[in-house]
Amino acid sequence: MTVNRWVMPILVIVLLVGTVVGAQATGVWTTTGRGTMSAGQGPGGGGGAGTGDGSGQTIKGWMTLTDVAAATGLPVATVAGLTGADDPSAVPVDTALSGLEAVVPGFTMTGFRDRVAAALAGG
Amino acid sequence: MSSDAPPVPAGRPSLPATRTPRAPRTRRPSAAVRRRRSIHRLRAVRRVVQLGVAALILVAAIRHSGAASGSTASTDALCPFGAVETLWTYLTTGSLIRKTHPSNLVLGGAVLASLLLAGNAFCGWICPFGTLQDGLHALARWLHIPQLRIPRRVDAALRWGRFVVLGVVVVASVETARLWFADYDPYATAFGLRWLTEPDLATIWPALLVLGVVLAGSLVVERFWCRYLCPAGAVFAVLGHLSILRIRRSSSTCTSCSLCTAPCPVGIDVSATTAAVSTDCIGCLDCVSTCPVGGALSVQAGIPLADITRRLTAGARS
């Protein structure tokens, strides 16, 4: 059965947009890990203190030092010290880690994750 | 002729000095004119849709690279192929691999549903990386960059590259439990804007290298990535056989003029199609609107897998 050629793209667009809108309306549409993590729960979804798989790789750039502290069970002051800043007390605890690179000289996500993992393994 | 007089194009009569009011046009435009308009209209609408989606993805990437990136979607979270990468882990463990989110599954499901129902128009109308390649092809034409003519046999062999990439990506994603392909994916590299916001060459050079090769390839082969390397295209090529709507060619009506083959962005020999056009089709519909013979090439609803069954039956008979 021949159908109008416009049916093909229109169906695809309607299905895509409709599914996304439907998913948003029902709360299924989640595009970040932020909403799925709560305090005391590892960023990787694991329960209790820890960083999910323990490697620190699941620490996200959107997290603040407070989030990391809540997720790992480490004190905020300790987490601030793991940033590698000369003066940890001056590190803003409510700034996203992705924004710390501009604030803390030499701060990298990779180095921070490694130090958190080491702190968890040692502590 | 004096030098002040405007030049008159050859074969075109000069206009009278005083214009007479134009009589209302009653004659219908010729079939060729209508066909040309139809091609232009379809392409214009497609470009608007493509650019709109690409703009949405770019806005998402810009917002994500901002300070409050945790609350906004990354380009990875807006890719339906993420569903394929995380599917095995999701089915076996109930959790998603790192850097994928429920949005990937939602988009993957939506694209699958649209593929089964309406064919693979996602690649031709929605995919922003396809849009980028279309833009590069237009640039190449504008700059008169010669296009590479790949022999049919070589082309057919190279298309298996998509399945190789798919296999590697799926295995690596399962093994590493993270979005492994994101480090190389030219879509994520181009639209994620890391090359702009975090130009750390030591980290992102493999991604930039892949992107560079793909973009260079797209300048000499239209939709280079889609034809030979896109892992999502490999999935679509297989599942496309289950699609209800497909472009079909009527061999009894077709005059084999080959006009439909020339505009195909992914190099399908449409005029040589026996029944349904290859599942490599990206649903741009350029071939359908180019066809000058009514009914020779059209979008048709049919029973999924009927073409394969017919071909297998014919093969068994012979």
Side-chain angles (χ1 to χ4, degrees), chain A residues 10 15 49 63 87 119:
Chain A
I10 287 172
L15 268 168
M63 296 169 82
D87 180 11

Side-chain angles (χ1 to χ4, degrees), chain B residues 58 61 75 129 132 185-195 207 211 215:
Chain B
L58 277 175
T75 46
F129 199 66
L132 180 61
D185 184 358
Y187 154 75
T189 311
F191 285 89
L193 302 180
R194 273 185 70 194
W195 53 273
L211 178 66
L215 295 186

Side-chain angles (χ1 to χ4, degrees), chain A residues 34 59-68 83 91-110 112-113, chain B residues 61-72 74 194 197-199:
Chain A
R34 191 174 217 172
I59 291 175
K60 306 288 185 184
W62 54 261
M63 296 169 82
T64 63
L65 293 183
T66 311
D67 291 333
V68 176
T83 58
V91 179
V93 294
D94 289 324
T95 299
L97 296 179
S98 58
L100 280 188
E101 285 170 1
V103 181
V104 180
F107 174 85
T108 62
M109 281 298 293
T110 313
F112 179 66
R113 283 176 180 140
Chain B
I62 291 166
R63 289 183 64 202
H64 186 73
S65 62
S69 58
S71 57
T72 61
S74 66
R194 273 185 70 194
T197 56
E198 300 171 48

Side-chain angles (χ1 to χ4, degrees), chain A residues 17-30, chain B residues 106:
Chain A
V17 175
T19 308
V20 171
V21 171
Q24 282 177 334
T26 54
V28 181
W29 183 257
T30 309
Chain B
V106 170

Side-chain angles (χ1 to χ4, degrees), chain B residues 13 18 34 80 91 103 115 133 140 146 148 175 177 181 193 207 230 235 248 253 266 277 291 309:
Chain B
T18 54
R34 273 185 280 134
L91 292 176
S103 59
L115 177 73
Q133 290 176 89
L148 214 59
E175 287 296 315
F181 190 46
L193 302 180
C230 180
V235 178
R248 287 184 160 79
T253 318
V266 285
V277 168
C291 180
T309 315

